[in-house]
Amino acid sequence: MADDGPDRDVVMAASADLITERDFVLLLISLYRDYPALWKIKSKEYADKNKRLLALSSIVKALRVYKPTYTEDLLKKKINALRTNFNKERKKIEQAQRSGLSPEDVPKPSLYYYNEMLFLSDQMCISDTESSLNSEVKHFLFTIQRYILLI
């Protein structure tokens, strides 16, 4: 049996040097988009835990070519960070658009991967207006409840 030791390490190190962090993130997003079980809330696959786990392991396997020590935990954390940053940026841009700014004055996305993540836009559950409405309703119900207890 051939020795996989030093030669394999050199090949792995060389392949890791072939891709920049930026390209790695764009590749990760591309792979993530290819597995709707991980992000498409209304699909049947999204509700299937086994399909989600299989999708995660497939992505990790593809990414290990570039980062041999990449794990599912690292992937989950990276996806969460990318989604969080994308959502913050998206909300900032949408608020600027709603404020009545001219299209030239609306801020441009600062994230280099913003456009790559746009496939997630229709997956967001709660808009700002819904959350503020929910807050007002909760406050109203709390006030009524307090009033009834005083009677």
Side-chain angles (χ1 to χ4, degrees), residues 121-137:
S121 290
D122 63 343
Q123 299 302 308
M124 305 308 148
C125 297
I126 299 175
S127 71
D128 291 344
T129 55
E130 289 174 343
S131 63
S132 64
L133 180 62
N134 287 340
S135 165
E136 292 173 20
V137 169

Side-chain angles (χ1 to χ4, degrees), residues 1-146:
M1 185 165 174
D3 181 17
D4 287 340
D7 290 338
R8 182 177 181 274
D9 293 340
V10 170
V11 169
M12 294 306 268
S15 65
D17 291 338
L18 294 176
I19 191 167
T20 64
E21 183 64 24
R22 184 182 192 123
D23 289 338
F24 182 80
V25 168
L26 293 174
L27 173 63
L28 185 154
I29 292 169
S30 174
L31 291 167
Y32 181 58
R33 184 185 316 115
D34 291 342
Y35 290 96
L38 297 174
W39 57 268
K40 197 168 192 176
I41 296 169
K42 293 182 180 177
S43 82
K44 286 183 179 180
E45 295 173 332
Y46 184 82
D48 188 338
K49 185 176 182 179
N50 292 327
K51 286 192 180 185
R52 287 196 319 269
L53 291 174
L54 187 62
L56 285 171
S57 64
S58 296
I59 293 173
V60 168
K61 184 177 179 182
L63 295 175
R64 281 191 179 151
V65 170
Y66 304 102
K67 292 190 179 186
T69 59
Y70 215 71
T71 64
E72 285 186 24
D73 276 345
L74 287 173
L75 176 62
K76 288 177 187 178
K77 288 177 184 177
K78 188 66 169 180
I79 288 171
N80 187 39
L82 292 170
R83 287 180 64 116
T84 299
N85 292 333
F86 169 74
N87 285 331
K88 285 180 185 178
E89 189 81 4
R90 186 181 58 82
K91 284 182 182 180
K92 181 174 71 173
I93 291 169
E94 285 179 358
Q95 285 175 348
Q97 289 171 336
R98 280 194 302 250
S99 72
L101 290 176
S102 67
E104 302 86 39
D105 294 334
V106 172
K108 302 291 185 251
S110 60
L111 298 172
Y112 66 89
Y113 55 84
Y114 181 83
N115 290 334
E116 299 301 316
M117 299 281 291
L118 284 173
F119 68 95
L120 295 174
S121 290
D122 63 343
Q123 299 302 308
M124 305 308 148
C125 297
I126 299 175
S127 71
D128 291 344
T129 55
E130 289 174 343
S131 63
S132 64
L133 180 62
N134 287 340
S135 165
E136 292 173 20
V137 169
K138 287 179 185 176
H139 177 70
F140 177 72
L141 292 174
F142 178 74
T143 305
I144 290 176
Q145 186 179 23
R146 274 190 20 205

